[in-house]
Amino acid sequence: MVPVTLAIIFMLLFFNSGSAVEALLVMLAVPFSLVGAFWLLWLLGYNMSVAVWVGLIALAASTPRPAS
């Protein structure tokens, strides 16, 4: 079910932006930024506080808008 959902999201992004490259960039931006955020938290030795979770949720919920 997950691949079907990802394909639908990719198609919606493609129809919205008109470019497969931009749609792929948006699809890959969120996972890479979340991995980088957790890696930096570990590297700097931060604890998982409520403020950190709010920031990670905001990061996961935000997607860049393609330029028109």
Side-chain angles (χ1 to χ4, degrees):
M1 195 66 178
V2 173
V4 174
T5 305
L6 290 174
I8 291 171
I9 292 171
F10 180 79
M11 286 188 328
L12 289 172
L13 288 169
F14 175 73
F15 290 142
N16 188 27
S17 67
S19 170
V21 174
E22 286 184 13
L24 190 62
L25 280 173
V26 171
M27 292 284 290
L28 292 176
V30 174
F32 280 129
S33 62
L34 283 173
V35 168
F38 278 109
W39 181 73
L40 194 61
L41 285 169
W42 174 78
L43 184 68
L44 297 177
Y46 285 152
N47 294 325
M48 293 301 290
S49 64
V50 173
V52 170
W53 278 113
V54 168
L56 290 173
I57 291 169
L59 175 66
S62 65
T63 55
R65 290 186 160 189
S68 296

